[in-house]
Amino acid sequence: MKFGQHLAYSVQPEWTFNYISYDELKEVIKTRTATQVWNETDEGYFVELLERELEKVYSFQNVKIGEIRRKLSYYNTQAQEFKKNGAQEETWRALEVELLRLIAEVDVLARYTRLNYTGFLKIVKKHDKQTGWMLKSIFHVRLNTKPFHKENYDAIIVRLSAIYHIVVARGQKLKGDDQFSNWNSAAFVRDTTKYWIHPDNITEVKLVIMKHLPVLLFNTKKEYEDNDSAISSVYVDNDAFECYQGRLEKTDMAQAIRIRWYGPTPTDNGQCFLERKVHREKWTGEQSVKERFPIKTKYINPYLTGDYTMDVKFAKLRARGQKSVKDVELMQKLANEVQTSIVTKRMRPSIRAFYRRTAFQLHNDARVRISLDTELALIREDDYGRVRAGDNWKREDIGIDWPFKQLPAEDITRFPYAVLEVKLQTQHGQEPPAWIIELINSHLVESCPRFSKYIHGVATLLEDKIQILPFWLPQMDQDIRKPPNTDFGLNTFMPRAWPVGTPQVGLRPPIVPRQIEGSSDSTKTGKTLSEFEPKTPKILDKATYQQKMAEKNANRRNNNNSNNFYNPGMAVSKTSVTGSHPLVDSGSTVSNQALMAPPARPWIDRLNNKDSRLSLGSDSEITEKGNGGNNNNDGPLRRKSTLRRKRVAGGKGDPKRATAPVRMEPKVFFANERTFLNWLQFSVLLGSISLTLLNFGNEVTRISGAVLTVITLLAMMYALGIFHIRLSNILSEKANRQFHDRWGPSVLCIFLLGGYFLNFYTKFISTSDTGSL
């Protein structure tokens, strides 16, 4: 579907004339380039139209945001009044319906923002391609003066969540069940799954979750600010990347150590947390754990070098009685163990992860905990090649100013999606809530089990230092958006036919229960959340991967030779882009060479050029077809990736293997041993028969006994050989391992038939000879 058709299909009817006039702008380009060469007059006229459309969209968005904020204030006043004085059920219900409409209106406005931003990117890209005048970088500057695309609606969602759940609870205190506040209870099944969310669906996912769970605020005494959601973590590792290797292969007792802080960069007396995550395999009967203890910023450097211990700090806590004796002892033990690991293994800061987190959870109820991380950036903290952090535990040239434009491309990876993490604690035999099963099976999410921010950062930024890669890297070359497969989403409580305007009580139709995938009566067997995930292959075949990458690269080379934005041979307008362009203010210049220079790392640079949720020309836009088929290769995830290929010094080499989250349990080895023992049992039985024939038979039976003895010895040797071959395959990390026995049983049957036929033949011959005599 072309973007023009997609825009016409997606517009909100009441806002039709406030969207970008995409078809009108496209018609201007088409008609004026068809009759003559695009000149400065045409460029000025087009820029004027573009500025008018930008002002229209920016002004309309501000008006709607103002309306939403005024509605929030009014509804909050109403909710507090009803809570204080009491109200009838019909009154509460009327307010709930209005809030549901407001939730849907926020989602419509977020989609309005995304559609118009994509429209501007598309039309500027089409302009540059068909006219030869480079408007992209210059328009990007103008777009930042009216940054309608940078509105993330987080503050609105937080306020809306607080009001909505007051109304849902009918003014009562919204509180969970205290019996589910203890995550360490053995009576519950714990399950954690992770998903990717495309930027187009982030706001809708937040609003869908908010309908069932309130936004969790850790500091309710002050007004919510954008910086409150910022989280930064510095991971430490050694030169051998043992933490990376262990966490990627999911070996038992693999650990990850990080320094975390919340909000802006802490001062010297500010508080950070040093955390350790230890992975435990399920077959051990133990649970993976995450432990942490607080530490002041000024003590982190001496702590990492071993010059400072936390004993004095914990002694003060014990003396003041701020923590129980048991808690202090556990934290002290953790601090000593972590420091020993850091010092003995010579760990240093390697990767920083920055993101903004929206958490959803009922107070004092750990049954369902959901977090959504956006604006994820992974930044190098190591000193390979040049000094970054130096002797400090983190670099000082950045704070929380995403997208970190001051960093060079080789120092940062901006992850293109949001990361959704669902943590469930259910009783044995109990299934997850139905709405969560609907969510993970909907078009809004893309399953990515075992995803790790740290592993992704090392794999993309330090790929020359490691030997194995995570299995999800090939997925970065794919568009994770999917057509709606169910009616799950905000349309469940505000269908498209409903107008966005003043609501009326009683318009909301009842929601018809839908059959949920994996939740029929026949499946009520206490499944965990991960069992409801879409089944995706977790093994990346090396030969298949090489073939696909070779085909993609060949297609890209063919397409780039004919049409490439970064191709220096591309025709450029006679009029200089600098100085005389209608969008450039007097005195400002933009270098042609800077605009046309090819990026050093195209796959990453196209992501790094973002200063908002989408960069100009990003592949996160809806792909517009019909332009020679070249548009499909222009996005950041369509360009040639250098992240998963490693060449040896000789020139030729295989790509690095990609590991999948495959856990090898002891039962696999036991199954191999049982098969070997079954073969031996059969061999012993056959050998007993052959020895009996040899020792107690006549000449004819001795021949058959000898043949069966040979077959017995061959079967025993074959069983021993196939046992060791299978053991090697189990321990191997190859993707195309084979475990089935193709020839053994068939050959054994043929030998046995031959032995029995020989016995029958010799007996028949001997009988014939005796009869003839």
Side-chain angles (χ1 to χ4, degrees):
M1 181 184 294
K2 293 185 177 181
F3 177 75
Q5 298 173 343
H6 174 72
L7 178 63
Y9 174 79
S10 304
V11 296
Q12 189 66 26
E14 292 79 6
W15 300 354
T16 301
F17 299 104
N18 295 289
Y19 285 82
I20 179 177
S21 301
Y22 182 82
D23 290 336
E24 178 183 344
L25 294 171
K26 187 170 69 172
E27 186 65 22
V28 170
I29 297 175
K30 180 179 179 180
T31 55
R32 299 208 173 199
T33 54
T35 57
Q36 59 183 4
V37 177
W38 190 270
N39 54 38
E40 188 171 353
T41 303
D42 298 326
E43 183 72 3
Y45 177 70
F46 180 80
V47 166
E48 182 180 353
L49 293 178
L50 202 61
E51 283 279 8
R52 186 186 67 188
E53 295 301 313
L54 180 60
E55 178 63 31
K56 177 181 68 176
V57 172
Y58 179 66
S59 300
F60 180 77
Q61 186 203 48
N62 286 338
V63 169
K64 299 306 294 184
I65 290 178
E67 290 181 4
I68 290 174
R69 287 172 178 165
R70 289 191 294 272
K71 288 180 181 180
L72 283 175
S73 299
Y74 174 73
Y75 295 153
N76 184 49
T77 303
Q78 292 289 312
Q80 296 298 335
E81 182 179 346
F82 295 163
K83 179 180 179 181
K84 181 179 179 181
N85 302 325
Q88 297 293 327
E89 174 63 24
E90 293 182 358
T91 305
W92 282 114
R93 179 59 180 167
L95 184 55
E96 181 183 354
V97 170
E98 294 190 8
L99 286 172
L100 289 172
R101 291 180 175 278
L102 185 58
I103 289 174
E105 188 172 354
V106 172
D107 178 60
V108 171
L109 184 58
R111 293 185 179 279
Y112 169 87
T113 302
R114 300 284 306 175
L115 277 173
N116 283 283
Y117 183 50
T118 304
F120 281 115
L121 302 182
K122 284 287 186 180
I123 200 64
V124 170
K125 181 179 179 181
K126 184 178 290 292
H127 165 276
D128 292 354
K129 177 181 178 181
Q130 296 188 8
T131 67
W133 288 61
M134 295 298 102
L135 183 60
K136 175 180 177 180
S137 298
I138 304 171
F139 181 73
H140 191 68
V141 176
R142 302 297 292 178
L143 191 61
N144 287 333
T145 63
K146 296 179 175 62
F148 73 94
H149 57 289
K150 294 184 179 181
E151 179 63 51
N152 59 17
Y153 304 98
D154 282 350
I156 292 176
I157 292 175
V158 170
R159 291 190 62 192
L160 188 55
S161 172
I163 301 170
Y164 178 75
H165 286 281
I166 290 176
V167 175
V168 169
R170 298 303 187 251
Q172 302 298 319
K173 186 176 181 180
L174 193 62
K175 186 178 180 181
D177 196 335
D178 291 339
Q179 66 172 319
F180 297 102
S181 61
N182 183 16
W183 272 83
N184 296 321
S185 174
F188 301 102
V189 178
R190 301 162 192 84
D191 198 10
T192 301
T193 52
K194 294 183 179 180
Y195 308 89
W196 291 346
I197 310 294
H198 193 274
D200 289 351
N201 301 324
I202 289 176
T203 303
E204 183 174 3
V205 170
K206 287 182 179 180
L207 293 171
V208 167
I209 299 173
M210 187 212 72
K211 184 177 178 290
H212 301 275
L213 291 174
V215 176
L216 181 63
L217 297 178
F218 295 99
N219 188 356
T220 58
K221 297 181 180 179
K222 71 180 189 70
E223 190 74 17
Y224 173 83
E225 299 177 357
D226 288 341
N227 289 340
D228 295 342
S229 62
I231 298 179
S232 303
S233 302
V234 174
Y235 292 83
V236 297
D237 210 337
N238 56 14
D239 292 337
F241 288 94
E242 293 181 17
C243 293
Y244 170 87
Q245 185 94 3
R247 298 295 294 185
L248 181 56
E249 296 183 337
K250 293 297 178 183
T251 56
D252 191 42
M253 296 300 295
Q255 65 178 359
I257 300 175
R258 66 190 180 196
I259 305 164
R260 169 169 289 189
W261 67 96
Y262 302 89
T265 303
T267 60
D268 288 343
N269 289 321
Q271 180 173 271
C272 295
F273 293 92
L274 206 149
E275 300 180 349
R276 181 183 68 178
K277 299 173 69 175
V278 180
H279 173 73
R280 299 307 308 271
E281 289 291 310
K282 289 185 178 180
W283 59 266
T284 64
E286 301 291 336
Q287 293 289 334
S288 300
V289 294
K290 182 175 72 173
E291 306 167 290
R292 70 176 186 175
F293 62 89
I295 183 173
K296 287 188 176 181
T297 306
K298 60 183 178 182
Y299 297 133
I300 294 179
N301 281 326
Y303 175 84
L304 295 179
T305 57
D307 299 330
Y308 173 82
T309 63
M310 297 294 296
D311 295 340
V312 177
K313 172 66 176 177
F314 294 135
K316 291 181 180 179
L317 287 178
R318 190 181 294 108
R320 295 171 183 172
Q322 297 177 342
K323 297 282 186 180
S324 65
V325 176
K326 182 179 180 180
D327 290 341
V328 174
E329 290 178 352
L330 291 176
M331 285 194 297
Q332 187 170 7
K333 178 183 178 182
L334 173 64
N336 293 334
E337 290 178 354
V338 170
Q339 188 174 40
T340 301
S341 297
I342 293 175
V343 174
T344 56
K345 296 181 180 180
R346 297 182 180 181
M347 295 184 178
R348 292 293 301 161
S350 56
I351 294 292
R352 179 190 301 194
F354 170 83
Y355 49 90
R356 299 188 184 275
R357 169 165 291 180
T358 304
F360 303 87
Q361 181 186 340
L362 286 173
H363 177 68
N364 203 29
D365 190 336
R367 284 178 293 180
V368 182
R369 298 198 297 183
I370 299 179
S371 62
L372 183 60
D373 300 334
T374 57
E375 298 182 2
L376 173 58
L378 303 160
I379 305 163
R380 293 182 63 173
E381 293 280 355
D382 61 89
D383 293 330
Y384 297 120
R386 63 182 182 86
V387 176
R388 293 179 179 87
D391 295 331
N392 196 25
W393 62 277
K394 67 177 180 65
R395 59 195 303 165
E396 298 293 343
D397 55 342
I398 58 172
I400 59 172
D401 49 334
W402 186 88
F404 307 105
K405 296 181 181 179
Q406 67 272 34
L407 294 180
E410 64 271 13
D411 279 9
I412 185 171
T413 292
R414 297 174 181 87
F415 195 70
Y417 310 124
V419 179
L420 180 73
E421 184 174 4
V422 181
K423 296 182 179 180
L424 290 183
Q425 176 177 276
T426 56
Q427 292 180 339
H428 288 284
Q430 181 184 8
E431 291 187 353
W435 69 270
I436 292 183
I437 301 175
E438 282 188 296
L439 175 62
I440 67 176
N441 282 285
S442 71
H443 65 285
L444 300 175
V445 303
E446 174 72 15
S447 177
C448 187
R450 306 293 185 181
F451 175 76
S452 167
K453 301 179 182 71
Y454 172 64
I455 290 176
H456 187 80
V458 174
T460 54
L461 295 173
L462 297 170
E463 52 99 13
D464 58 325
K465 305 291 183 182
I466 56 177
Q467 299 303 320
I468 57 176
L469 296 170
F471 74 97
W472 61 77
L473 276 187
Q475 291 180 248
M476 303 301 296
D477 291 328
Q478 302 172 5
D479 189 350
I480 67 171
R481 287 172 295 183
K482 296 171 283 188
N485 54 0
T486 66
D487 59 346
F488 180 77
L490 291 179
N491 57 356
T492 58
F493 52 89
M494 185 176 178
R496 181 178 176 82
W498 289 19
V500 176
T502 56
Q504 299 179 17
V505 180
L507 283 182
R508 183 183 181 218
I511 301 174
V512 180
R514 296 175 304 280
Q515 182 68 28
I516 305 167
E517 181 180 348
S519 63
S520 61
D521 295 337
S522 61
T523 60
K524 292 182 179 179
T525 56
K527 293 184 178 181
T528 60
L529 181 61
S530 56
E531 294 180 77
F532 289 99
E533 291 183 353
K535 303 302 180 184
T536 55
K538 295 184 178 181
I539 299 295
L540 179 64
D541 183 77
K542 187 174 181 180
T544 303
Y545 173 72
Q546 288 178 315
Q547 181 180 359
K548 289 184 177 180
M549 290 302 298
E551 293 175 355
K552 287 183 179 179
N553 293 335
N555 293 335
R556 290 183 187 121
R557 284 193 296 269
N558 294 335
N559 292 332
N560 290 341
N561 289 337
S562 60
N563 183 14
N564 189 350
F565 177 80
Y566 292 103
N567 188 358
M570 181 178 178
V572 184
S573 172
K574 296 180 181 180
T575 306
S576 175
V577 178
T578 62
S580 62
H581 199 284
L583 276 182
V584 180
D585 297 332
S586 58
S588 62
T589 59
V590 179
S591 171
N592 277 337
Q593 184 177 1
L595 290 174
M596 302 301 294
R601 302 171 68 186
W603 187 84
I604 295 181
D605 289 348
R606 293 296 297 275
L607 296 178
N608 292 345
N609 289 334
K610 300 180 186 178
D611 69 339
S612 62
R613 298 187 182 275
L614 281 174
S615 63
L616 288 169
S618 169
D619 194 47
S620 295
E621 312 157 12
I622 300 295
T623 304
E624 181 175 2
K625 299 179 181 179
N627 293 327
N630 297 326
N631 289 347
N632 292 337
N633 300 323
D634 291 337
L637 304 183
R638 297 290 190 263
R639 289 189 172 275
K640 182 178 180 180
S641 170
T642 61
L643 298 180
R644 297 182 297 281
R645 294 183 177 272
K646 179 180 180 181
R647 299 297 181 184
V648 296
K652 293 185 178 180
D654 295 330
K656 295 183 182 181
R657 59 185 177 88
T659 62
V662 178
R663 178 172 58 253
M664 194 60 65
E665 298 187 5
K667 64 182 180 181
V668 179
F669 298 92
F670 297 155
N672 188 32
E673 293 176 4
R674 284 196 302 270
T675 305
F676 173 64
L677 293 176
N678 287 336
W679 274 83
L680 285 185
Q681 182 180 5
F682 174 80
S683 300
V684 169
L685 177 62
L686 189 62
S688 301
I689 297 174
S690 63
L691 290 177
T692 302
L693 294 176
L694 283 173
N695 294 321
F696 302 102
N698 52 25
E699 294 182 359
V700 175
T701 57
R702 288 193 185 97
I703 296 175
S704 300
V707 173
L708 291 179
T709 301
V710 173
I711 296 176
T712 301
L713 295 176
L714 291 177
M716 294 178 64
M717 289 187 292
Y718 179 80
L720 181 62
I722 202 68
F723 169 76
H724 286 288
I725 291 174
R726 283 175 173 164
L727 181 62
S728 299
N729 287 338
I730 292 173
L731 298 176
S732 174
E733 296 176 346
K734 295 180 180 180
N736 55 348
R737 297 172 290 177
Q738 300 293 334
F739 296 99
H740 68 280
D741 191 353
R742 181 180 300 178
W743 304 107
S746 302
V747 173
L748 179 62
C749 290
I750 293 173
F751 281 173
L752 288 176
L753 288 175
Y756 291 142
F757 177 78
L758 179 63
N759 180 62
F760 174 79
Y761 179 75
T762 54
K763 183 66 176 178
F764 178 77
I765 293 298
S766 62
T767 304
S768 300
D769 293 342
T770 304
S772 62
L773 293 175

